[in-house]
Amino acid sequence: MAPSDDDKVTGRLHGEQFEPEKTDSLIERLIYMILIAVMISVAQTVLGVMTVVQFIIMLVNNKQPNERLAEFGTDLGIWIAKAARYQTAASNVKPWPWTDLD
């Protein structure tokens, strides 16, 4: 039986992540945290634009969302969650582009 979409998302959010063998120094981590903070800001802007575009698509398309845009939104949300885990030191795994996007 194929996993449902919810199972796939749960696995991507909470699935096994391989912690790096060597942890970054505090200066390296600060640099990564600043870069990731900028990337999160860009991601929030992209999310806002996507929200408006998806709403317009739904207005024109009889309440039917664009599936590819919805899937990209899921991917973006998972990336933001992984970035937040690194930012708050809940994980030492850096988000994409330093690791695979999944």
Side-chain angles (χ1 to χ4, degrees), residues 18-97:
F18 299 101
E19 292 288 327
E21 293 178 15
K22 175 186 151 272
T23 58
D24 298 328
S25 71
L26 286 179
I27 296 296
E28 287 177 305
R29 188 171 187 101
L30 175 64
I31 293 168
Y32 283 121
M33 290 174 86
I34 291 168
L35 287 171
I36 292 169
V38 170
M39 293 169 72
I40 288 173
S41 179
V42 171
Q44 288 176 323
T45 302
V46 169
L47 180 61
V49 170
M50 284 177 38
T51 301
V52 172
V53 170
Q54 185 73 293
F55 184 76
I56 292 169
I57 289 171
M58 290 174 68
L59 277 175
V60 173
N61 203 16
N62 196 25
K63 298 183 182 178
Q64 295 299 314
N66 180 295
E67 293 298 323
R68 288 177 49 192
L69 195 57
E71 182 64 30
F72 179 72
T74 300
D75 293 342
L76 183 62
I78 290 168
W79 180 86
I80 291 171
K82 288 182 177 184
R85 287 181 47 79
Y86 183 80
Q87 293 289 77
T88 60
S91 172
N92 288 321
V93 178
K94 294 175 205 73
W96 177 88

Side-chain angles (χ1 to χ4, degrees), residues 1-17:
M1 183 168 133
S4 69
D5 286 343
D6 288 339
D7 291 338
K8 289 179 189 175
V9 170
T10 299
R12 289 168 70 190
L13 277 175
H14 304 292
E16 185 175 358
Q17 289 188 349

